[in-house]
Amino acid sequence: MTTPPTIPPQHCGLVAILGAPNAGKSTLVNALVGQKVAIVSPKAQTTRVRLMGVAIEGETQLLLVDTPGIFEPKRRLDRAMVQAAWGGAEGADVLALVVDAKGGLGAKVTDIAEAIKDRREPKYLILNKVDLADKGKLLLHAEKLTGMVEFAETFFVSAATGDGLPELKAHLAKAMPEGPWHFPEDQVSDASERSLASEVTREQLYLQLHAELPYASAIETEQYKEREDGSVEIHQQILVERPTQRAIVLGKGGARIKEIGARARAELSEIMGRPVHLYLHVKVRPGWDDERDVYREMGLDWVD
Ligand SMILES: Nc1nc2c(ncn2[C@@H]2O[C@H](COP(=O)(O)OP(=O)(O)O)[C@@H](O)[C@H]2O)c(=O)[nH]1
Ligand SMILES: [Mg+2]
């Protein structure tokens, strides 16, 4: 009698990616997944909802929960974002604190460290942006934070260059419990293409517009349909609060919105692997950030 070949057991677990805004959490999730699932911008508070990126390492599926940054919330939208961030840490097998090693260790970072220090989950410290940070500062940050929290592991990485990521990924995989994979092997995130499409447009708002405008805007999908030829037709509304903001989004003779649409469309076609027809409209809706429907569309819970 021959023994059947042994199939190594699958592992699967949840990693909560926490940190201050702009630490590089979304960049890190994209890099570990190996493709873009979360939008990224140099501006703080780009990520509004929690999103799960799916990475694979050998027999292990890593569910990486990218969270909005944790910060002192002021507006209702801020509160909903911070709540979503902490919600992302629920049920995690590892809590990963991502820190921008180039910046200072402000209250933003130490407050989060304080908040996780008594939690029972294993905690990893990830000092990111080593490509920019000087060595002395890196070590000081590491020393200070490991003095505050009992981290199981500390990593020095660059989510942008990939430095240190294979090691981090291997360690995360080892920490995941045995269990069947949660998603099919080719699935890279838990977001629908429809919401990815809104995110990609929102990313262009952040990248192309200055000042506070991106924070004052949201995307609503009016129509999303697959055409018979295999392409996708998407109609989105960009909500802003004031007529002056609408004028900024439109630009001279509509040049700005055209550029936003063109870049978002090109990026989406590439991610989705098929032609995309994207139609954008700008709508003034004062107080959209106090409307329940807009929160639902964004995937955020309403907070009172
Ligand atoms: N040089 C460098 N820039 C990075 C690195 N990781 C992220 N960034 C940049 O930092 C900014 C914020 O990144 P993002 O992932 O949106 O941060 P998040 O708010 O924590 O999700 C973006 O401009 C990124 O391109 C890194 O390792 N090195
Ligand atoms: Mg982010």
Side-chain angles (χ1 to χ4, degrees):
M1 215 174 82
T2 55
T3 46
T6 48
I7 303 164
Q10 289 188 326
H11 288 71
C12 184
L14 216 60
V15 182
I17 311 286
L18 301 170
N22 238 19
K25 300 177 295 298
S26 298
T27 308
L28 179 67
V29 168
N30 289 338
L32 291 172
V33 170
Q35 82 182 62
K36 178 160 173 172
V37 291
I39 64 169
V40 164
S41 97
K43 289 171 191 147
Q45 295 159 40
T46 307
T47 305
R48 282 184 179 163
V49 297
R50 129 183 122 225
L51 175 138
M52 205 181 273
V54 186
I56 290 167
E57 171 85 359
E59 297 305 318
T60 303
Q61 190 168 59
L62 291 164
L63 310 179
L64 306 157
V65 185
D66 183 20
T67 62
I70 293 169
F71 54 95
E72 191 69 52
K74 294 192 191 79
R75 306 166 297 166
R76 184 194 300 277
L77 178 61
D78 295 342
R79 293 204 303 277
M81 283 160 57
V82 172
Q83 178 172 302
W86 283 119
E90 265 162 39
D93 297 289
V94 167
L95 300 180
L97 174 60
V98 182
V99 175
D100 178 346
K102 182 181 145 272
L105 275 195
K108 276 194 189 123
V109 178
T110 50
D111 284 356
I112 304 169
E114 202 53 50
I116 62 172
K117 89 178 189 319
D118 293 324
R119 292 181 65 132
R120 282 204 312 246
E121 300 93 331
K123 293 170 275 291
Y124 285 18
L125 175 60
I126 302 174
L127 288 151
N128 187 33
K129 309 197 189 182
V130 295
D131 55 307
L132 301 176
D134 76 70
K135 290 251 155 53
K137 205 168 190 182
L138 265 173
L139 294 175
L140 272 177
H141 286 350
E143 208 177 325
K144 177 157 183 208
L145 289 166
T146 50
M148 291 180 69
V149 180
E150 209 172 302
F151 288 105
E153 309 269 359
T154 298
F155 298 90
F156 298 90
V157 310
S158 168
T161 67
D163 209 12
L165 295 187
E167 208 197 343
L168 168 64
K169 201 171 171 185
H171 273 81
L172 285 171
K174 267 200 226 124
M176 296 299 111
E178 203 176 307
W181 288 9
H182 197 75
F183 292 106
E185 172 165 20
D186 56 356
Q187 192 170 335
V188 291
S189 95
D190 68 341
S192 63
E193 286 190 329
R194 175 188 162 122
S195 70
L196 177 72
S198 318
E199 288 291 278
V200 167
T201 301
R202 209 158 57 75
E203 183 177 51
Q204 286 303 323
L205 292 179
Y206 278 84
L207 294 174
Q208 296 194 38
L209 298 174
H210 302 288
E212 295 299 305
L213 212 146
Y215 303 107
S217 57
I219 311 293
E220 261 196 342
T221 310
E222 294 172 291
Q223 211 191 106
Y224 187 98
K225 70 173 188 217
E226 317 256 338
R227 287 189 184 169
E228 266 173 26
D229 62 5
S231 64
V232 191
E233 182 180 326
I234 308 169
H235 297 253
Q236 294 169 340
Q237 225 165 37
I238 301 171
L239 304 182
V240 294
E241 285 165 349
R242 290 191 297 274
T244 47
Q245 294 170 333
R246 177 170 188 272
I248 296 171
V249 177
L250 290 175
K252 250 200 200 106
R256 181 51 66 197
I257 194 165
K258 206 166 150 200
E259 184 66 14
I260 290 169
R263 297 218 184 165
R265 193 193 61 75
E267 166 125 41
L268 269 175
S269 306
E270 196 186 314
I271 301 177
M272 293 167 65
R274 52 206 161 121
V276 170
H277 313 273
L278 180 63
Y279 301 90
L280 299 178
H281 312 269
V282 194
K283 192 170 178 189
V284 181
R285 201 145 117 198
W288 64 260
D289 59 338
D290 270 320
E291 286 179 45
R292 283 173 194 260
D293 284 354
V294 177
Y295 281 68
R296 189 174 319 123
E297 163 92 19
M298 284 197 280
L300 283 173
D301 289 331
W302 177 260
V303 288
D304 284 312

